[in-house]
Amino acid sequence: MEIRGCIFDLDGVIVDTAKYHYLAWKRLANTLSFDFSEVHNEQLKGVSRMRSLDIILQLGNVELSEEEKLRLAAEKNQWYLEYILQMDESEILPGVTDFLEELRRKDVRIALGSASKNAQTILEKINLSSSFDVIVDGNMVEKAKPDPEVFIIGAELMRLEPHQCIVFEDAQAGVAAALNAGMYCVGIGEEDVLGNAHIVIPGFQESIFLRLRIS
Ligand code: BG6
Ligand code: MG
């Protein structure tokens, strides 16, 4: 098996935006008169915006109409945008830029596979858009992770077969999506959370090319 393409999740792999999602969701919960802790925030990683809202409303025991939910999701996104519009290159996680450059030198194709509808905005703010041959974001998919759609589209746009691709993911739903796509999956984070991935590494600081069968 020869790896020809790498597909990266964005939030939690390229940048740590979970903290901004958390602050915006917490503000929303507080306007509805309940609190939302960082422990609960773990459940939202890799999960779509509307599904995240459902989880939060369930925690607060709040039932709302579809129309009201759409209004709240839009409001949360405005607050989230206030944070991400302040981002710059300094927020790229350690080792990511060097790893992407090394992949480019090795002629490996590079894709983004993110659930976020704000992915393009974030990549522009951190000045990384041009590092990706293909960008698949939350605006291009119908089915959220753990459905493999986002990664299957990524491989197709790179003109590669699933078995030629590695996915880098920090969320359980994302690892499941990569495995459902028939791809090799590298978990970025902790073994006890991402144990279903083929291997788990803490981040891109270490040289991982040897472990990844990319020559
Ligand atoms: C994922 C994040 O990448 O994108 C989730 O891990 C987030 O926390 C989801 O809810 C959707 O993001 P956005 O930017 O479209 O609200
Ligand atoms: Mg993620």
Side-chain angles (χ1 to χ4, degrees):
M1 180 189 75
E2 197 199 348
I3 292 300
R4 303 278 314 283
C6 286
I7 309 181
F8 294 82
D9 174 49
L10 177 67
D11 296 312
V13 171
I14 306 278
V15 281
D16 176 20
T17 38
K19 58 188 179 208
Y20 301 136
H21 279 297
Y22 169 65
L23 290 170
W25 284 127
K26 186 179 168 66
R27 186 166 164 184
L28 186 85
N30 291 351
T31 63
L32 296 169
S33 303
F34 63 93
D35 205 14
F36 173 64
S37 76
E38 280 195 78
V39 177
H40 291 133
N41 198 46
E42 279 303 305
Q43 299 175 39
L44 307 184
K45 287 190 179 169
V47 175
S48 74
R49 192 182 307 170
M50 292 312 287
R51 177 77 193 114
S52 299
L53 177 62
D54 281 337
I55 294 171
I56 286 164
L57 293 178
Q58 219 171 0
L59 286 168
N61 254 324
V62 176
E63 273 188 45
L64 295 173
S65 67
E66 274 313 302
E67 197 187 349
E68 187 64 4
K69 284 202 257 182
L70 286 172
R71 190 186 69 73
L72 289 181
E75 193 163 24
K76 178 265 174 181
N77 198 52
Q78 279 309 315
W79 293 327
Y80 179 62
L81 276 169
E82 285 173 18
Y83 294 112
I84 60 175
L85 290 175
Q86 305 291 325
M87 291 176 80
D88 62 25
E89 290 167 40
S90 67
E91 298 214 32
I92 300 173
L93 288 170
V96 168
T97 307
D98 287 348
F99 187 64
L100 291 173
E101 285 171 2
E102 190 64 24
L103 289 175
R104 180 70 68 213
R105 278 194 286 279
K106 291 178 188 296
D107 222 11
V108 173
R109 287 172 219 172
I110 304 171
L112 190 87
S114 170
S116 173
K117 295 186 170 171
N118 297 298
Q120 299 266 11
T121 305
I122 294 170
L123 286 184
E124 275 162 34
K125 292 305 293 178
I126 61 173
N127 203 14
L128 219 55
S129 305
S130 59
S131 298
F132 293 87
D133 301 308
V134 161
I135 294 173
V136 187
D137 66 17
N139 300 298
M140 293 168 68
V141 294
E142 279 174 16
K143 294 176 227 139
K145 299 171 186 177
D147 190 281
E149 185 183 15
V150 63
F151 298 136
I152 297 284
I153 295 175
E156 278 173 5
L157 292 176
M158 290 193 290
R159 296 205 202 88
L160 295 175
E161 297 294 322
H163 66 86
Q164 295 176 301
C165 301
I166 296 181
V167 170
F168 296 89
E169 257 294 349
D170 73 310
Q172 283 177 353
V175 169
L179 300 181
N180 288 337
M183 297 178 186
Y184 188 87
C185 185
V186 178
I188 305 290
E190 289 171 24
E191 181 79 48
D192 55 347
V193 182
L194 304 173
N196 289 338
H198 291 93
I199 59 166
V200 180
I201 56 173
F204 293 96
Q205 292 99 321
E206 54 178 298
S207 172
I208 49 176
F209 282 95
L210 290 175
R211 292 179 69 184
L212 294 184
R213 294 175 280 174
I214 303 172
S215 54

